[in-house]
Amino acid sequence: MAQLDLLRPWGQESWGGFGALRREMDDLFDRFGAFTPVLAARSPFPAVNLYETEDAFVLTAEVPGVAPEDLEISVEGTTVTLRGERKVAPEEGASVHRSERAVGAFRRAFDLPVPIEAEKAEAVHRHGVLRLRLPKAPEHRARQIQVKAG
Amino acid sequence: MTQVLRNPLKQPVREERTRPGPVYRPDADILERADEYVVLVDLPGADEPSVQVRFEKDVLSIEATAAVTPDPTWIPRHTEYQPGGYAREFRISDGIEVESIRASLANGVLELHLPKTGRRRSRTIQVASA
C-alpha cells in the first residue's frame, strides 16, 4: 500500500521561539521530568492505521479536536482520501505559552490493493478517533472453500 | 497541599493502576487569559471514565487510557500509532484556584480551565520610599 500524499502545513515546535515568555512561564508550568515519554515520535496528522478483514479494510485515524463535519472522506477506485481541518479560533488578548497541537488543513490518501464498494463504506467518529470501514468489492473478498470428503 | 480534583469529569476518581501497552506524552496547548489559564490536551481514543486529572503538591497530572481499540481479529497492514495510555504532568506555582478548576472532554480533547486567584490577577508592587 502506498501513501500518496501528505501535507503538513504546521511547524514542529512552534512555541520554541518565545524565549522571554518561556522564561516567564517556567515557574508556572513546566514539563515534569518524571513522565518522559515512552513513545513521543511525531507522526503525521492524523496518524492512520489500516487493517484488513476477510471482506473489508478498516482505516482508523486519530483526529482529536476535529469535528465530524470538518472531515471529508472520498473513495475513488482503490484510493481513499481523508481531508479535514482542525480549526483553532485565534483569541484576542490571550497569550500562548505552549502550542504543540497540530492545527490547519490536512489531506492524506491511501491506495488499497483491491477496489472498494464505496457506497457501502461506513464512518464512525468516537472519542476523537475516526473508524472507516471499506468493504472490498465482492469479487475480491476472501472465500472459504469447503473440502468435501471424496 | 494534596488534593484530588473533585470529579472533574463527573466520574469517580480511580486508584492508580498498572498500564499495559504504550504510554504517550500527549500534545498540549497552554493559553493565558486575563483571569485564567486554559490547557488543551489531545487524548484521542480516551473516554471520560479513563481520564484522571489530579492536582497534588503543585503538580497537575493528567492520565488517560484509550477506550477505542482495534478489533483483535483485524490484521494490521499499515500502522502509524498504537492505541495506549497518556500521561503528562505540569508544575503549577501558586496562583491557581484549585477548587475551581474545570475539566471537560470532547472529540478526544481534554479542556482544563484553571482560574487565577485574585492575588495573581492584579499584582501591584509597592515601591517603598527611602
Side-chain angles (χ1 to χ4, degrees), chain A residues 49-105:
Chain A
N49 283 354
L50 186 74
Y51 305 89
E52 187 176 358
T53 70
E54 272 184 18
D55 57 355
F57 284 95
V58 181
L59 185 151
T60 63
E62 292 191 319
V63 285
V66 181
E69 58 269 25
D70 292 328
L71 271 174
E72 187 193 314
I73 302 149
S74 60
V75 180
E76 203 183 322
T78 57
T79 304
V80 182
T81 307
L82 183 62
R83 283 190 194 84
E85 188 174 0
R86 182 145 86 164
K87 294 171 178 167
V88 173
E91 217 178 276
E92 290 276 320
S95 46
V96 177
H97 293 295
R98 202 159 284 192
S99 178
E100 301 167 350
R101 301 166 64 238
V103 277

Side-chain angles (χ1 to χ4, degrees), chain B residues 85-96:
Chain B
Y86 301 98
R88 190 155 181 188
E89 301 198 339
F90 300 95
R91 186 176 299 144
I92 300 175
S93 71
D94 58 358
I96 300 293

Side-chain angles (χ1 to χ4, degrees), chain B residues 10 18 23 35 40 44-45 50 53 59 66 75-76 82 98-99 116 121:
Chain B
K10 297 185 179 67
T18 54
V23 176
D35 55 351
L40 298 166
S50 84
V53 182
V59 174
I75 303 158
Q82 296 277 351
V98 178
E99 290 289 335
K116 298 178 188 176
R121 263 179 233 182

